[in-house]
Coordinates of all heavy atoms in Angstrom, one line a residue:
M1 N 165.1 13.2 73.8 CA 164.4 14.4 74.4 C 164.8 14.4 75.9 O 164.5 13.5 76.6 CB 162.9 14.2 74.3 CG 162.2 15.3 74.8 SD 160.4 15.2 74.4 CE 159.7 15.0 76.0
K2 N 165.5 15.5 76.2 CA 166.0 15.6 77.6 C 165.2 16.7 78.3 O 165.0 17.8 77.7 CB 167.5 16.0 77.6 CG 168.1 16.1 78.9 CD 169.5 16.3 78.9 CE 170.1 16.4 80.3 NZ 171.5 16.6 80.3
L3 N 164.7 16.4 79.4 CA 163.9 17.3 80.2 C 164.8 18.2 81.1 O 165.8 17.7 81.6 CB 162.9 16.6 81.1 CG 161.8 15.8 80.4 CD1 161.0 15.0 81.5 CD2 160.9 16.7 79.6
E4 N 164.4 19.5 81.2 CA 165.2 20.3 82.1 C 164.9 19.9 83.5 O 163.9 19.3 83.8 CB 164.9 21.8 81.8 CG 163.4 22.1 82.0 CD 163.1 23.6 81.5 OE1 163.2 23.8 80.3 OE2 162.7 24.3 82.4
P5 N 165.7 20.2 84.5 CA 165.5 19.7 85.9 C 164.2 20.0 86.5 O 163.6 19.2 87.2 CB 166.6 20.4 86.7 CG 167.7 20.8 85.7 CD 166.9 21.0 84.4
N6 N 163.6 21.2 86.2 CA 162.3 21.5 86.8 C 161.2 20.7 86.3 O 160.3 20.2 87.0 CB 162.0 23.0 86.6 CG 160.9 23.5 87.4 OD1 160.5 22.9 88.4 ND2 160.3 24.6 87.0
K7 N 161.3 20.4 85.0 CA 160.2 19.5 84.3 C 160.4 18.1 84.9 O 159.4 17.4 85.1 CB 160.4 19.5 82.8 CG 160.2 20.9 82.2 CD 158.9 20.9 81.5 CE 158.8 22.3 80.8 NZ 157.6 22.8 80.7
G8 N 161.6 17.6 85.1 CA 161.8 16.3 85.6 C 161.2 16.2 87.0 O 160.6 15.2 87.4
E9 N 161.3 17.2 87.8 CA 160.8 17.2 89.2 C 159.2 17.2 89.1 O 158.6 16.5 89.9 CB 161.2 18.4 89.9 CG 160.7 18.5 91.3 CD 161.2 19.8 92.0 OE1 162.3 20.3 91.8 OE2 160.4 20.3 92.8
L10 N 158.7 17.9 88.2 CA 157.2 18.0 88.0 C 156.7 16.6 87.6 O 155.6 16.1 88.1 CB 156.8 19.0 87.1 CG 157.0 20.5 87.5 CD1 156.6 21.4 86.4 CD2 156.1 20.7 88.7
M11 N 157.4 16.0 86.7 CA 157.0 14.7 86.2 C 157.1 13.6 87.3 O 156.2 12.7 87.4 CB 157.8 14.2 85.0 CG 157.6 15.1 83.7 SD 155.9 15.1 83.2 CE 155.7 13.5 82.5
T12 N 158.1 13.7 88.1 CA 158.3 12.8 89.2 C 157.1 13.0 90.2 O 156.5 12.0 90.7 CB 159.6 13.0 89.9 OG1 160.6 12.8 89.0 CG2 159.8 12.0 91.1
R13 N 156.8 14.2 90.5 CA 155.7 14.5 91.4 C 154.4 14.0 90.9 O 153.6 13.4 91.6 CB 155.6 16.0 91.6 CG 154.6 16.5 92.6 CD 154.4 18.0 92.7 NE 155.6 18.6 93.1 CZ 155.7 19.5 94.1 NH1 154.6 19.8 94.8 NH2 156.8 20.1 94.4
L14 N 154.1 14.2 89.6 CA 152.9 13.7 89.0 C 152.9 12.2 89.0 O 151.8 11.6 89.3 CB 152.8 14.2 87.6 CG 151.5 13.9 86.8 CD1 150.3 14.4 87.6 CD2 151.6 14.4 85.4
A15 N 154.0 11.5 88.7 CA 154.0 10.0 88.7 C 153.7 9.5 90.1 O 153.0 8.5 90.2 CB 155.4 9.6 88.2
V16 N 154.3 10.1 91.1 CA 154.0 9.6 92.5 C 152.6 9.8 92.8 O 152.0 8.9 93.4 CB 155.0 10.4 93.5 CG1 154.6 10.2 94.9 CG2 156.4 10.0 93.3
C17 N 152.0 10.9 92.4 CA 150.6 11.2 92.7 C 149.7 10.1 92.0 O 148.7 9.6 92.6 CB 150.2 12.6 92.3 SG 150.9 13.8 93.3
V18 N 150.0 9.8 90.8 CA 149.2 8.8 90.0 C 149.4 7.4 90.7 O 148.4 6.7 90.9 CB 149.7 8.7 88.6 CG1 149.1 7.5 87.9 CG2 149.3 10.0 87.9
V19 N 150.6 7.0 91.1 CA 150.7 5.7 91.8 C 150.0 5.7 93.1 O 149.3 4.7 93.4 CB 152.3 5.5 92.0 CG1 152.5 4.3 93.0 CG2 153.0 5.2 90.7
I20 N 150.0 6.8 93.9 CA 149.2 6.8 95.1 C 147.7 6.7 94.8 O 147.0 6.1 95.5 CB 149.6 8.0 95.9 CG1 151.0 7.9 96.4 CG2 148.6 8.2 97.1 CD1 151.6 9.2 97.1
A21 N 147.3 7.4 93.8 CA 145.9 7.4 93.4 C 145.4 6.0 93.0 O 144.3 5.6 93.4 CB 145.6 8.4 92.3
I22 N 146.2 5.3 92.3 CA 145.9 3.9 91.9 C 145.8 3.1 93.1 O 144.8 2.3 93.3 CB 147.0 3.3 90.9 CG1 146.9 4.0 89.6 CG2 146.8 1.8 90.8 CD1 148.0 3.7 88.6
A23 N 146.7 3.2 94.0 CA 146.7 2.4 95.3 C 145.4 2.7 96.1 O 144.8 1.8 96.7 CB 147.9 2.7 96.1
V24 N 145.0 4.0 96.2 CA 143.9 4.4 96.9 C 142.6 3.8 96.3 O 141.7 3.3 97.1 CB 143.8 6.0 97.1 CG1 142.4 6.4 97.5 CG2 144.9 6.5 98.0
V25 N 142.5 3.9 95.0 CA 141.3 3.4 94.4 C 141.1 1.9 94.6 O 140.0 1.4 94.9 CB 141.2 3.8 92.9 CG1 140.1 3.1 92.1 CG2 141.1 5.3 92.7
Y26 N 142.2 1.2 94.3 CA 142.1 -0.3 94.5 C 141.9 -0.7 96.0 O 141.2 -1.7 96.2 CB 143.3 -1.0 93.8 CG 143.1 -1.1 92.3 CD1 143.7 -0.2 91.5 CD2 142.3 -2.1 91.8 CE1 143.5 -0.3 90.1 CE2 142.1 -2.2 90.4 CZ 142.7 -1.3 89.6 OH 142.5 -1.4 88.2
A27 N 142.6 0.0 96.9 CA 142.4 -0.3 98.3 C 141.0 0.0 98.7 O 140.4 -0.7 99.5 CB 143.4 0.5 99.1
A28 N 140.4 1.1 98.3 CA 139.0 1.4 98.6 C 138.1 0.4 98.1 O 137.1 0.0 98.8 CB 138.6 2.8 98.0
E29 N 138.3 -0.1 96.9 CA 137.5 -1.2 96.4 C 137.6 -2.5 97.2 O 136.6 -3.1 97.5 CB 137.9 -1.5 94.9 CG 137.1 -2.6 94.3 CD 137.6 -2.9 92.9 OE1 138.4 -2.2 92.3 OE2 137.1 -4.0 92.4
K30 N 138.8 -2.8 97.6 CA 139.0 -4.1 98.4 C 138.4 -3.9 99.8 O 137.9 -4.9 100.4 CB 140.5 -4.5 98.4 CG 141.0 -4.8 97.1 CD 140.4 -6.1 96.6 CE 141.1 -6.4 95.2 NZ 140.4 -7.5 94.5
L31 N 138.6 -2.8 100.4 CA 138.3 -2.6 101.8 C 136.8 -2.3 102.0 O 136.2 -2.6 103.1 CB 139.1 -1.5 102.5 CG 140.6 -1.8 102.6 CD1 141.4 -0.5 103.1 CD2 140.8 -3.0 103.5
C32 N 136.2 -1.6 101.1 CA 134.8 -1.1 101.3 C 133.7 -2.0 100.6 O 132.6 -1.8 101.0 CB 134.7 0.3 100.8 SG 135.8 1.5 101.7
A33 N 134.1 -2.8 99.6 CA 133.1 -3.5 98.9 C 132.4 -4.5 99.9 O 133.0 -5.3 100.6 CB 133.7 -4.3 97.8
G34 N 131.1 -4.5 99.9 CA 130.3 -5.4 100.7 C 130.2 -5.1 102.2 O 129.6 -5.9 102.9
K35 N 130.7 -4.0 102.6 CA 130.7 -3.6 104.0 C 129.4 -2.8 104.4 O 129.1 -2.7 105.6 CB 131.9 -2.8 104.4 CG 133.2 -3.5 104.2 CD 133.5 -4.5 105.2 CE 134.9 -5.0 105.3 NZ 135.3 -6.1 104.5
G36 N 128.7 -2.3 103.4 CA 127.5 -1.5 103.7 C 127.7 -0.1 104.1 O 126.8 0.5 104.7
Y37 N 128.9 0.5 103.8 CA 129.1 1.9 104.1 C 128.2 2.8 103.2 O 128.1 2.5 102.0 CB 130.6 2.3 103.9 CG 131.5 1.5 104.7 CD1 132.7 0.9 104.2 CD2 131.4 1.4 106.1 CE1 133.5 0.2 105.0 CE2 132.3 0.7 106.9 CZ 133.3 0.1 106.3 OH 134.2 -0.6 107.1
P38 N 127.6 3.8 103.8 CA 126.7 4.6 103.0 C 127.3 5.3 101.8 O 126.8 5.3 100.7 CB 126.1 5.7 103.9 CG 126.4 5.1 105.3 CD 127.6 4.2 105.2
L39 N 128.5 5.9 102.0 CA 129.2 6.5 100.8 C 129.6 5.5 99.8 O 129.6 5.8 98.6 CB 130.5 7.2 101.3 CG 130.2 8.6 101.9 CD1 131.5 9.2 102.5 CD2 129.6 9.5 100.9
W40 N 130.0 4.3 100.2 CA 130.4 3.3 99.2 C 129.2 2.8 98.5 O 129.2 2.5 97.3 CB 131.1 2.1 99.9 CG 131.5 1.1 98.9 CD1 130.9 -0.1 98.6 CD2 132.6 1.2 98.0 NE1 131.6 -0.7 97.6 CE2 132.6 0.1 97.2 CE3 133.6 2.2 97.8 CZ2 133.6 -0.1 96.2 CZ3 134.5 2.0 96.8 CH2 134.5 0.9 96.0
E41 N 128.0 2.7 99.1 CA 126.8 2.3 98.5 C 126.4 3.3 97.4 O 125.9 3.0 96.4 CB 125.7 2.1 99.5 CG 125.9 1.0 100.5 CD 126.0 -0.4 99.8 OE1 125.3 -0.6 98.8 OE2 126.8 -1.2 100.3
K42 N 126.7 4.6 97.7 CA 126.3 5.7 96.7 C 127.3 5.8 95.6 O 126.9 5.9 94.4 CB 126.2 7.0 97.5 CG 125.7 8.1 96.7 CD 125.6 9.4 97.5 CE 125.0 10.5 96.7 NZ 124.8 11.7 97.5
Y43 N 128.6 5.8 95.9 CA 129.6 6.1 94.9 C 130.4 4.8 94.5 O 131.2 4.9 93.5 CB 130.6 7.1 95.4 CG 130.0 8.4 95.7 CD1 129.8 8.9 97.0 CD2 129.5 9.2 94.6 CE1 129.2 10.1 97.2 CE2 128.9 10.4 94.9 CZ 128.8 10.9 96.2 OH 128.2 12.1 96.4
G44 N 130.3 3.7 95.1 CA 131.1 2.5 94.8 C 130.8 2.0 93.4 O 131.8 1.7 92.7
P45 N 129.6 1.9 93.0 CA 129.3 1.4 91.6 C 129.9 2.3 90.5 O 130.5 1.8 89.6 CB 127.8 1.4 91.5 CG 127.3 1.2 92.9 CD 128.3 2.0 93.8
W46 N 129.9 3.6 90.7 CA 130.5 4.5 89.8 C 132.0 4.3 89.8 O 132.6 4.2 88.7 CB 130.2 5.9 90.1 CG 130.9 6.9 89.2 CD1 130.4 7.3 88.0 CD2 132.2 7.5 89.3 NE1 131.3 8.1 87.4 CE2 132.4 8.3 88.2 CE3 133.1 7.5 90.3 CZ2 133.6 9.0 88.0 CZ3 134.3 8.2 90.1 CH2 134.5 8.9 89.0
L47 N 132.6 4.1 90.9 CA 134.0 3.9 91.0 C 134.5 2.6 90.3 O 135.5 2.6 89.6 CB 134.5 3.9 92.5 CG 136.0 3.8 92.7 CD1 136.5 5.1 93.3 CD2 136.3 2.7 93.6
M48 N 133.7 1.6 90.5 CA 134.1 0.3 89.9 C 133.9 0.3 88.4 O 134.6 -0.3 87.7 CB 133.3 -0.8 90.5 CG 133.7 -1.0 92.0 SD 132.7 -2.3 92.8 CE 133.3 -3.7 92.1
D49 N 132.9 1.1 87.9 CA 132.7 1.2 86.5 C 133.6 2.2 85.8 O 133.9 2.1 84.6 CB 131.2 1.6 86.2 CG 130.2 0.6 86.5 OD1 130.6 -0.6 86.6 OD2 129.1 0.9 86.8
N50 N 134.1 3.2 86.5 CA 134.9 4.2 85.9 C 136.2 4.4 86.7 O 136.6 5.5 87.2 CB 134.2 5.6 86.0 CG 132.9 5.5 85.2 OD1 132.8 5.2 84.1 ND2 131.8 5.7 86.0
K51 N 137.1 3.4 86.7 CA 138.3 3.4 87.5 C 139.3 4.4 87.0 O 140.0 5.1 87.7 CB 138.9 2.0 87.5 CG 138.2 1.1 88.4 CD 138.9 -0.3 88.5 CE 138.1 -1.2 89.4 NZ 138.6 -2.5 89.4
V52 N 139.4 4.5 85.6 CA 140.3 5.5 85.1 C 140.0 6.9 85.5 O 140.9 7.7 85.9 CB 140.4 5.3 83.5 CG1 141.2 6.4 82.9 CG2 140.9 4.0 83.1
Q53 N 138.7 7.3 85.4 CA 138.3 8.6 85.8 C 138.5 8.8 87.3 O 138.9 9.9 87.7 CB 136.8 8.9 85.5 CG 136.6 9.0 84.0 CD 136.3 7.6 83.3 OE1 136.5 6.6 83.9 NE2 135.8 7.7 82.1
A54 N 138.2 7.8 88.1 CA 138.4 7.9 89.6 C 139.9 8.1 89.9 O 140.3 9.0 90.7 CB 137.9 6.7 90.3
I55 N 140.8 7.4 89.2 CA 142.2 7.6 89.4 C 142.7 8.9 89.0 O 143.5 9.6 89.6 CB 143.0 6.4 88.7 CG1 142.7 5.1 89.3 CG2 144.5 6.7 88.6 CD1 143.2 3.9 88.6
A56 N 142.1 9.4 87.8 CA 142.5 10.8 87.4 C 142.1 11.9 88.3 O 142.9 12.8 88.6 CB 141.9 11.0 86.0
V57 N 140.9 11.7 88.9 CA 140.4 12.7 89.9 C 141.3 12.7 91.1 O 141.7 13.7 91.6 CB 138.9 12.5 90.2 CG1 138.5 13.3 91.4 CG2 138.1 12.8 89.0
A58 N 141.5 11.5 91.6 CA 142.3 11.4 92.8 C 143.8 11.9 92.6 O 144.3 12.6 93.5 CB 142.4 9.9 93.3
A59 N 144.3 11.6 91.4 CA 145.7 12.1 91.1 C 145.7 13.6 91.0 O 146.7 14.3 91.5 CB 146.2 11.5 89.8
A60 N 144.7 14.2 90.5 CA 144.6 15.7 90.4 C 144.5 16.3 91.8 O 145.2 17.3 92.0 CB 143.4 16.1 89.5
V61 N 143.7 15.7 92.6 CA 143.6 16.2 94.0 C 144.9 16.1 94.7 O 145.4 17.0 95.4 CB 142.4 15.5 94.7 CG1 142.4 15.8 96.2 CG2 141.1 15.9 94.1
L62 N 145.6 15.0 94.6 CA 146.8 14.8 95.3 C 147.9 15.7 94.7 O 148.7 16.2 95.5 CB 147.3 13.3 95.1 CG 146.5 12.3 95.9 CD1 146.9 10.9 95.5 CD2 146.8 12.5 97.4
Y63 N 147.9 15.9 93.4 CA 148.9 16.8 92.8 C 148.7 18.3 93.3 O 149.6 19.0 93.7 CB 148.8 16.8 91.3 CG 149.8 17.6 90.6 CD1 151.1 17.1 90.5 CD2 149.5 18.8 90.0 CE1 152.1 17.8 89.8 CE2 150.5 19.5 89.3 CZ 151.8 19.0 89.2 OH 152.8 19.7 88.6
G64 N 147.4 18.7 93.3 CA 147.1 20.0 93.9 C 147.5 20.2 95.3 O 148.1 21.2 95.7
A65 N 147.3 19.1 96.1 CA 147.6 19.2 97.5 C 149.2 19.2 97.7 O 149.7 19.9 98.5 CB 147.1 18.0 98.3
S66 N 149.9 18.5 96.8 CA 151.3 18.4 96.9 C 151.9 19.8 96.6 O 152.9 20.3 97.2 CB 151.9 17.4 96.1 OG 151.9 17.7 94.7
L67 N 151.3 20.5 95.6 CA 151.8 21.8 95.2 C 151.5 22.8 96.3 O 152.2 23.8 96.6 CB 151.2 22.3 93.9 CG 151.7 21.6 92.7 CD1 150.9 22.1 91.4 CD2 153.2 21.9 92.5
A68 N 150.3 22.6 97.0 CA 150.0 23.6 98.1 C 150.9 23.4 99.3 O 151.3 24.4 99.9 CB 148.5 23.3 98.5
F69 N 151.2 22.2 99.7 CA 152.0 21.9 100.8 C 153.5 22.0 100.6 O 154.3 22.3 101.5 CB 151.7 20.6 101.5 CG 150.3 20.6 102.1 CD1 149.3 19.8 101.7 CD2 150.1 21.4 103.2 CE1 148.1 19.8 102.3 CE2 148.8 21.4 103.8 CZ 147.8 20.6 103.3
F70 N 154.0 21.6 99.4 CA 155.4 21.6 99.0 C 155.5 22.3 97.7 O 155.6 21.7 96.6 CB 155.9 20.2 98.9 CG 155.7 19.4 100.1 CD1 154.7 18.4 100.2 CD2 156.4 19.6 101.3 CE1 154.5 17.7 101.3 CE2 156.2 18.9 102.4 CZ 155.3 17.9 102.4
P71 N 155.6 23.7 97.7 CA 155.7 24.4 96.4 C 157.0 24.1 95.7 O 158.0 23.6 96.3 CB 155.7 25.9 96.8 CG 155.3 25.9 98.2 CD 155.5 24.6 98.8
E72 N 157.0 24.4 94.4 CA 158.2 24.1 93.6 C 159.3 25.0 94.0 O 159.2 26.2 94.0 CB 157.8 24.3 92.1 CG 156.7 23.5 91.6 CD 156.4 23.9 90.2 OE1 157.2 24.5 89.5 OE2 155.2 23.6 89.8
G73 N 160.5 24.4 94.2 CA 161.7 25.1 94.4 C 161.8 26.0 95.6 O 162.6 26.9 95.7
G74 N 160.9 25.8 96.6 CA 161.0 26.6 97.7 C 160.5 25.9 99.0 O 160.0 24.8 98.9
Q75 N 160.6 26.6 100.1 CA 160.1 26.1 101.3 C 158.5 26.3 101.4 O 158.0 27.3 100.8 CB 160.7 26.8 102.5 CG 162.2 26.5 102.6 CD 162.8 27.3 103.7 OE1 162.2 28.1 104.3 NE2 164.0 27.0 104.0
P76 N 157.8 25.4 102.0 CA 156.4 25.6 102.1 C 156.0 26.9 102.9 O 156.6 27.1 104.0 CB 155.9 24.3 102.8 CG 157.1 23.7 103.3 CD 158.3 24.2 102.7
F77 N 155.1 27.6 102.4 CA 154.6 28.8 103.0 C 155.7 29.8 103.4 O 155.7 30.3 104.6 CB 153.7 28.4 104.2 CG 152.6 27.4 103.9 CD1 152.7 26.2 104.4 CD2 151.6 27.7 103.0 CE1 151.7 25.2 104.1 CE2 150.7 26.8 102.6 CZ 150.7 25.5 103.2
A78 N 156.6 30.1 102.6 CA 157.7 31.0 102.9 C 157.1 32.5 102.9 O 156.5 32.9 102.0 CB 158.8 30.9 101.9
P79 N 157.4 33.2 104.0 CA 156.9 34.6 104.1 C 157.7 35.5 103.2 O 158.9 35.2 102.8 CB 157.1 35.0 105.6 CG 158.2 34.1 106.0 CD 158.1 32.8 105.2
P80 N 157.1 36.6 102.7 CA 157.9 37.5 101.9 C 159.1 38.1 102.6 O 159.0 38.3 103.8 CB 156.9 38.6 101.5 CG 155.8 38.5 102.5 CD 155.8 37.1 103.0
P81 N 160.1 38.5 101.9 CA 161.3 39.0 102.6 C 161.0 40.4 103.2 O 160.2 41.2 102.6 CB 162.3 39.2 101.5 CG 161.6 39.2 100.2 CD 160.3 38.3 100.5
E82 N 161.5 40.7 104.3 CA 161.3 41.9 105.0 C 162.1 43.1 104.4 O 163.2 42.8 103.9 CB 161.7 41.8 106.5 CG 160.8 40.9 107.3 CD 161.1 40.9 108.7 OE1 161.7 41.8 109.2 OE2 160.7 39.9 109.4
E83 N 161.5 44.2 104.4 CA 162.2 45.4 103.8 C 163.1 46.0 104.9 O 162.7 46.2 106.0 CB 161.2 46.4 103.3 CG 160.4 45.8 102.2 CD 159.2 46.7 101.8 OE1 159.1 47.8 102.3 OE2 158.3 46.2 101.1
E84 N 164.3 46.3 104.5 CA 165.3 46.8 105.5 C 165.3 48.3 105.7 O 165.7 48.8 106.7 CB 166.7 46.3 105.1 CG 166.8 44.8 105.1 CD 168.2 44.4 104.6 OE1 169.1 45.2 104.5 OE2 168.3 43.2 104.3
D85 N 165.0 49.1 104.7 CA 165.1 50.5 104.7 C 163.8 51.2 105.3 O 163.8 52.4 105.4 CB 165.5 51.1 103.4 CG 164.4 50.8 102.3 OD1 163.5 50.1 102.6 OD2 164.6 51.3 101.2
G86 N 162.8 50.5 105.6 CA 161.6 51.0 106.1 C 160.6 51.6 105.1 O 159.6 52.1 105.4
F87 N 161.0 51.5 103.9 CA 160.2 52.0 102.8 C 159.2 50.9 102.3 O 159.7 49.8 102.0 CB 161.0 52.6 101.6 CG 160.2 53.0 100.4 CD1 159.5 54.2 100.4 CD2 160.1 52.2 99.3 CE1 158.8 54.5 99.3 CE2 159.4 52.5 98.2 CZ 158.7 53.7 98.2
S88 N 158.0 51.2 102.1 CA 157.1 50.3 101.5 C 156.2 51.0 100.5 O 155.7 52.1 100.7 CB 156.1 49.6 102.6 OG 155.4 50.6 103.2
P89 N 156.2 50.4 99.2 CA 155.4 51.1 98.2 C 153.9 51.1 98.5 O 153.4 50.2 99.2 CB 155.7 50.2 96.9 CG 156.2 48.9 97.5 CD 156.8 49.2 98.8
C90 N 153.2 52.0 97.9 CA 151.8 52.1 98.2 C 151.0 51.1 97.4 O 151.3 50.7 96.3 CB 151.3 53.5 97.7 SG 152.0 54.8 98.8

């Protein structure tokens, strides 16, 4: 099964987001456990019990952010092309 170039780029982007999400979840656990941070006291037990869900949520957020800042096949936030003849449709 061979992926077309665009699908390969999407899979690479998704894989990178998942790896970063795994690193963030495990780093948060190591850095925040036992420190008494209010957010960690509230959400830390859920994160430790549901690591797969936490990684999935973090990867989805990272993937969405990567699509927002670096769209597929184009420059980020490219303006529409200007019309040369002065005509603009209603």
